[in-house]
Amino acid sequence: MSEAGEHDHEHEHEHEHEQHGRGTSVPLEIVDAWWRAANYLSVGQIYLMANPLLARPLEPADIKPRLLGHWGTSPGLNLVYTHLNRAIVERGTPTLYVCGPGHGGPAMVANTWLDGTYSELFPAIGTDAEGMRRLFRQFSFPGGIPSHAAPETPGSINEGGELGYSLMHAFGAALDNPGLVVACVVGDGEAETGPLAASWRGHSFLNPVTDGAVLPILHLNGYKIANPTLLARIPEAELVDFFRGNGYEPLLVTGGFDGEDPMAVHGRMADAVDVAYERIAAIRADAAAGAFADAAPRWPAIVLRTPKGWTGPRMVDGVQVEGTFRAHQVPLAAVRENPEHLAMLEAWLRSYRPEELFDRDGRPVADLDALRPHGDLRMSATPIANGGIVRSLDLPRLDDFALNVDPGDRGDSAESTRVLGEWFAELMRRNPDDVRLFGPDEVLSNRLGAVFDVTSRVWAEALDPLDEHLAREGRVIEALSEHLMQGMLEGYLLTGRHGLITSYEAFIHIVDSMVNQHAKWLESASRVPWRGDLASLNFLLSSHVWRQDHNGFSHQDPGFLNIVVNKQADVARVYLPPDANTLLAVMRHAFDTQNRVNVIVAGKQPAPQWLTLAEAEAHVEQGIGIWVEAGNEPGYDAADPGASVPDVVMACAGDVPTMETVAAAQLLRERLPDLRVRVVNVVDLMRLQDPSHHPHGLPDRAFDAMFTTDAPVIFAFHGYPSVIHQLTYRRANHRNLHVRGFIEKGTTTTPFDMLHLNDLDRYRLALDVLHRVPGLEGGTGVAEIADEWRAARSGAREYAYEHGEDPDWITAWRFATPPQA
Amino acid sequence: MSEAGEHDHEHEHEHEHEQHGRGTSVPLEIVDAWWRAANYLSVGQIYLMANPLLARPLEPADIKPRLLGHWGTSPGLNLVYTHLNRAIVERGTPTLYVCGPGHGGPAMVANTWLDGTYSELFPAIGTDAEGMRRLFRQFSFPGGIPSHAAPETPGSINEGGELGYSLMHAFGAALDNPGLVVACVVGDGEAETGPLAASWRGHSFLNPVTDGAVLPILHLNGYKIANPTLLARIPEAELVDFFRGNGYEPLLVTGGFDGEDPMAVHGRMADAVDVAYERIAAIRADAAAGAFADAAPRWPAIVLRTPKGWTGPRMVDGVQVEGTFRAHQVPLAAVRENPEHLAMLEAWLRSYRPEELFDRDGRPVADLDALRPHGDLRMSATPIANGGIVRSLDLPRLDDFALNVDPGDRGDSAESTRVLGEWFAELMRRNPDDVRLFGPDEVLSNRLGAVFDVTSRVWAEALDPLDEHLAREGRVIEALSEHLMQGMLEGYLLTGRHGLITSYEAFIHIVDSMVNQHAKWLESASRVPWRGDLASLNFLLSSHVWRQDHNGFSHQDPGFLNIVVNKQADVARVYLPPDANTLLAVMRHAFDTQNRVNVIVAGKQPAPQWLTLAEAEAHVEQGIGIWVEAGNEPGYDAADPGASVPDVVMACAGDVPTMETVAAAQLLRERLPDLRVRVVNVVDLMRLQDPSHHPHGLPDRAFDAMFTTDAPVIFAFHGYPSVIHQLTYRRANHRNLHVRGFIEKGTTTTPFDMLHLNDLDRYRLALDVLHRVPGLEGGTGVAEIADEWRAARSGAREYAYEHGEDPDWITAWRFATPPQA
């Protein structure tokens, strides 16, 4: 091990542990044996479908017909796993292994099989020769397991497919897990991604007393698929600066090059791991004694530099493979066809001396027991990683937080998210250990400041007397990175806790891909019987498209809903509460669900309030409902909505579209009192979808009773109209459905002008009705509405711009005055 | 200026320029005057709608009715702009200003008005008192300009709305611009984002001889909206390590705290800027003399630490504002209502001594001329930033690269992207200065390796003798960060060049939000008359959802198309070429367009080839077409497609769905020779949309002639079925449209099994026809197809998994054999 020692640096005094004595309870020979066994099992998975123990010479028929998999990263991942096992056995420190490098599946599976966990969880894959054969065969095989760590991999909380999220998952896992070490192997390819680059500083939100520790292990094997990696090619002094600049003291372990004996590398790696665990223990002890009050600790990190595909074939067909990008996937490509390759594979496998590692029945030899942690201390078996520790929350009653809405006089103005903030603060107060709030510097801006009566934002860096709501301890985490916030929340949820992320609506697209991957994880995990249920991933999207008074076009994008509605029906939920009490009821429901992605869109600006708490709860329970008072449908009978036939249905989803629809219905009621208008409000968007496509889908009979099968439907929607068409195209009345929503027209302007630009304002909606209901065009009241529309439209732009006054804002606010139902 | 001097560091010898003599042609008093003028204009924009020169005491009516805008970042941005002007005037070095911090609009607009550029480009905003009034009034005003740098801002190539992309834009701008300095102000909030964190190492892809230089200027003003920033709160030694660890030598400038005289800060800032420009010049000279062959240069970077809202009100209503997060937006919030705030605003404005800066007519005083670069050297006026240098490409003829497809014997197998690679290599050869290829380590994997016959991947870090296609000079850029690749390409395009990014289809979601923002830029820029047209942003998405034989569910997501089809119709284009020649024709077309986002999806695996080049070119020209040979429609007349009435239309878009549809049609032709089947292939997806929604939309008459108005349509689609429904819901025959596509069923399995899982295989498509065409159910041939389907389905999973053999892959490959049309 090198301590970055050639660099003269002010932090040199922290190196006091350098001359530590290494624990000796597990001889390095056994460490090496475990590593060889894991390497053997990794190679076996890539190549073999029979003859797993090489009981006889390899034959072409033993080889898989198509060779798929990634050898390059495996020996390094195996080395780390082996040495972490040693640390756990010697110290008893609970440790989680987060595997960042892509396609590390063979290594993770190999070690969990050696742990015994794999056979416990998958009884068909026993810890014997037949189990080993099946283990090999299923890898990257039709109907088998993928080549990366995945939900099917015991002990994994990180998918090795889309790279970049391992370290943020690790930091999320460490939160509120005092005593835990989360060891996170970061691949040098993955380290080039933006999300990973942003997560090095995750420790700035870690409290060494109340949280666990994250031990990053940067694995420099030098190459990605076809290119060298950046961090492997910069000068070593620069690499050390990079770690120090990110708040770490790096421990450098380099070895295995030019045929170096692995035993020497084991010695250095064992030293580095020991130093790291000891420093973490010291940081904890110092922090508990008060040191954290003064300064952030400097955490250890390990930089492990070994050849790509180490111990694999060095030269193949005349070119170097080990230590180059050519070792990334399958070093020997033509094993079935080429006898020379077949012989090389056999020699490679035998180089691990399997006869010393497995008995004749294929069971790991007894020597390896010394390196196998007991029970849940096995990294593959810890309930923290496998969904085993989720606790039901103590959810506060809504009654104490609901707005008092008078059903006889609806429409008082309030900020919905501010109301939510009070409830959420109580939620955090009642559940002080396992609820967190994450936001990209927008918790206050999104009106959730009440949480700061209960807790603070946690901050491990320097504090200033002028800081507000910032402290060494706190349950709110804010950094200006949607990626980091999303990733830490995912890590927190994946290890059995609960949380909410709040974001500007437009910018949540930044994490589209992360949400896709998390939804895929949930979907795949639901088919893995030994994984426990997880708390849902809950989003509150505020500062939405319709209220960006001083922001421009770049802040206006409701397309995240399009992403979510394409996710699997078991997972995806979208809620558009029209007011504060509905928001409360939706959020309480969201925190009562498991294994979902709940997306809740709600404005933070003053807006009319419609429903009492009881009404809101019933509305959320139904997910969709007819707002009788807002419409104009004499004789309507709630017990039999299909019996009444309205002339038009005005549907709405979203707080601003609801306001405009209610106002448009009022305009129509005033001008055309004989027009039978029905107002339908949708809070649970998936109610619209065909029930064969989504479990929340309203049965056709109920849908038809509500929307009719032949009346025009004017649907005012918060997002892109495509979402509504996508959800309703199978419905009988879809041909009469006319959707207004965001049509990508935006700029820096007033709320009313935004609606006007996108044809979603109340006048436009009323005119839509007049255009679609036969016989109304040109009739009484129509000209009036058209005149008002033109006046408002003019006021929205030209007047405000040409004159020194400001009629538009005034107009907009007047418009916001709720109509009396 | 501090040189991070207290740190003992091996790079100390690079500090040789520390004792340079500062250029003296522009006195610092004039520097200060310009800065004061810019600050004055920034404050004026946020507050005033009249009385811009304070010709009389401020009155409430002079104040905007709603105060919106961001003061906090403005004085720092103004300081940088001022000092860069000084460097340009003294040195004549062309310089671009990339403004990273959010909401820096007031500062950027203020300086461009002082430059004179604003009035040249917006004649209604003159360089006089009335112009100043209008300049103030339009800011964050209905119908006016946004509060962040935007397309409307002269000299800007970076939107200050969604943060994180400034530095990657800067690196993209510097490519192939030798002699240019791209100064990039990075906000300390923005610096927390993942994309920004990944872009510090952008210089690893810069050649100091043939490219320009990027000068990052990290502006530490300490706070975001409501939180301190990470980089402002870490120890200074750590910050220096961070820069050195990212390959820079930082120049630290701290000032303005505790009432420090700005003149002292000007001195330090001028020194730092001088050192930076001199080092850049030295690096260029050294590199030209050969030094670059040995090692990457260590570029300068400036760290500017000043108080947030510097020179604004220090205390407001008893709390400190300057130097805290409270200075982020509007320091004095109640100016119209509160006389004390009004007086403070007046005092604040007068503190800049406007009478010394503007004459009585509102024109900048002559002294400021000394700091105003001439003509295009003004950072606001450079054609590089304003779309003024786009060159038409020399596009190679397709004939030399097309596959030879025999119309009498279609269906030979080829890798489409490999064919494209040859053409693209020639494109790069013919246009050696302004075409680049970007990819996240996937250029070879996506079969575009032919480009390496023409050029290499550029790499400024250490080279190894075993490296392939890696060199100090090269026009391909690869890093494992979709963000960085996308951002550098955007910067390259925004400064007038051409390029392509290639990515795995699933992972392009990583840049959803960047693509949204670029599309918004293009849309907004199209309304800015003085901005030139830009080359389109071209995507090649390969390794797509249907071919992930060893990757799992995480690699299977075609949802990027949903993102793109929601963009404005002027911008969004989606192409799904079914074979190699069509891919060639599409790509050539894409490189011949401007101001678009062209998304092209094409597989890299061996696949059947259908069209001759002439047919492919005609097909791309039409965007959609009837494949007569693939169908079974005797008597069909191409001149009058509506005259023939098929029993069923089988439509397809995407290479794999096309293969399955052609095969299904063949199955039907063999089994039910009397069934009239029409095959329609869609290559330009937007042809499906209503022509009132998209300029490529097929007129209803043509659409109806092709799809009929009442026959069942079975549509096999590459992506989510929702895309097709979204595009076609207005079409007459939409009620009979049945779409098969990706329904989120994926795992590690064979190509055929993927199709089977998602009901998109040929048997399923044929059965769909049988279910939808009246009278066929149970008829001749149906049972056979159902039997074959069951056999294939069984083979796809159970058989392959239970037995030692591999029939599924064989089956899949057999299926790929094209049917004879």
Side-chain angles (χ1 to χ4, degrees), chain B residues 330-507:
Chain B
V330 180
L332 298 162
V335 183
R336 250 192 167 185
E337 302 77 23
N338 182 336
E340 191 187 342
H341 281 201
L342 185 68
M344 288 173 76
L345 173 62
E346 180 156 350
W348 175 14
L349 282 163
R350 290 197 190 281
S351 74
Y352 299 119
R353 307 192 299 279
E355 66 282 2
E356 299 177 8
L357 307 172
F358 309 102
D359 66 20
R360 294 181 59 180
D361 296 328
R363 271 177 280 273
V365 297
D367 276 1
L368 297 181
D369 292 350
L371 210 61
R372 185 180 301 115
H374 290 293
D376 288 357
L377 271 179
R378 291 173 298 179
M379 294 182 288
S380 52
T382 171
I384 293 174
N386 295 338
I389 60 163
V390 186
R391 192 178 68 83
S392 292
L393 291 177
D394 177 5
L395 293 171
R397 286 159 43 91
L398 300 180
D399 310 58
D400 304 331
F401 304 92
L403 282 185
N404 187 12
V405 171
D406 176 359
D409 182 23
R410 302 184 194 270
D412 277 357
S413 180
E415 295 160 321
S416 295
T417 54
R418 195 180 297 278
V419 175
L420 174 69
E422 300 283 345
W423 180 83
F424 203 86
E426 178 64 14
L427 177 73
M428 296 185 89
R429 199 187 62 75
R430 290 185 185 212
N431 303 276
D433 300 322
D434 54 1
V435 177
R436 292 260 188 176
L437 175 62
F438 298 82
D441 194 27
E442 291 163 10
V443 165
L444 275 174
S445 161
N446 283 329
R447 315 277 197 266
L448 300 175
V451 298
F452 297 128
D453 298 338
V454 175
T455 186
S456 293
R457 293 178 281 223
V458 63
W459 189 255
E461 305 300 343
L463 291 167
D464 186 280
L466 291 175
D467 290 334
E468 292 183 357
H469 318 307
L470 201 71
R472 286 290 189 241
E473 280 193 68
R475 311 196 55 72
V476 178
I477 298 190
E478 294 208 82
L480 210 164
S481 166
E482 284 80 0
H483 289 113
L484 184 58
M485 297 300 93
Q486 170 75 14
M488 290 183 75
L489 172 54
E490 286 178 2
Y492 198 61
L493 298 173
L494 287 161
T495 50
R497 283 79 62 80
H498 309 261
L500 174 69
I501 179 168
T502 174
S503 167
Y504 277 38
E505 182 183 36
F507 301 149

Side-chain angles (χ1 to χ4, degrees), chain A residues 626-650:
Chain A
I626 296 175
W627 283 15
V628 182
E629 293 172 44
N632 183 17
E633 198 177 357
Y636 170 83
D637 177 7
D640 186 11
S644 172
V645 181
D647 296 316
V648 64
V649 176
M650 302 194 74

Side-chain angles (χ1 to χ4, degrees), chain A residues 752 763 787-797 808 811 815:
Chain A
F752 179 76
Y763 299 105
D787 283 348
E788 286 196 52
W789 177 62
R790 273 187 288 270
R793 181 187 183 185
S794 151
R797 277 290 186 99
D808 182 27
T811 312
F815 288 159

Side-chain angles (χ1 to χ4, degrees), chain B residues 664-676:
Chain B
Q666 172 173 301
L667 277 175
L668 291 168
R669 195 164 56 246
E670 291 167 0
R671 306 300 196 290
L672 295 101
D674 296 333
L675 187 68
R676 293 173 64 83

Side-chain angles (χ1 to χ4, degrees), chain B residues 764-810:
Chain B
R764 180 73 260 172
L765 296 176
L767 290 171
D768 280 343
V769 168
L770 302 181
H771 292 149
R772 304 236 158 206
V773 176
L776 288 185
E777 201 102 40
T780 322
V782 174
E784 275 172 60
I785 293 178
D787 283 348
E788 286 196 53
W789 176 62
R790 272 186 290 271
R793 181 187 183 187
S794 152
R797 278 293 187 98
E798 291 77 3
Y799 191 83
Y801 192 66
E802 291 306 320
H803 299 73
E805 285 178 64
D806 181 34
D808 182 27
W809 287 322
I810 298 163

Side-chain angles (χ1 to χ4, degrees), chain B residues 58-80:
Chain B
L58 273 184
E59 295 171 9
D62 298 332
I63 309 300
K64 296 184 181 183
R66 199 160 171 217
L67 298 176
L68 302 167
H70 293 72
W71 163 246
T73 187
S74 298
L77 292 175
N78 287 333
L79 189 81
V80 172

Side-chain angles (χ1 to χ4, degrees), chain A residues 49 137 512 549 568 744 803, chain B residues 137 512 568 744 803-804:
Chain A
M49 51 193 258
R137 195 168 175 291
D512 276 1
D549 312 5
Q568 281 209 349
E744 206 67 15
H803 300 73
Chain B
R137 195 168 173 291
D512 275 0
Q568 282 209 351
E744 205 67 14
H803 299 73

Side-chain angles (χ1 to χ4, degrees), chain A residues 205 436-444 446 448 452 457 475-486 488-489 500-504 508 540, chain B residues 192 224 227:
Chain A
F205 307 101
R436 293 261 188 175
L437 174 61
F438 297 82
D441 195 27
E442 291 163 9
V443 166
L444 275 174
N446 282 330
L448 301 175
F452 296 129
R457 292 178 281 223
R475 311 196 55 70
V476 178
I477 297 189
E478 293 208 81
L480 210 164
S481 167
E482 283 79 1
H483 289 111
L484 184 57
M485 297 299 93
Q486 171 75 16
M488 288 182 77
L489 172 55
L500 174 69
I501 179 167
T502 174
S503 167
Y504 277 38
I508 201 66
L540 174 65
Chain B
E192 296 176 8
K224 299 168 293 208
N227 278 284

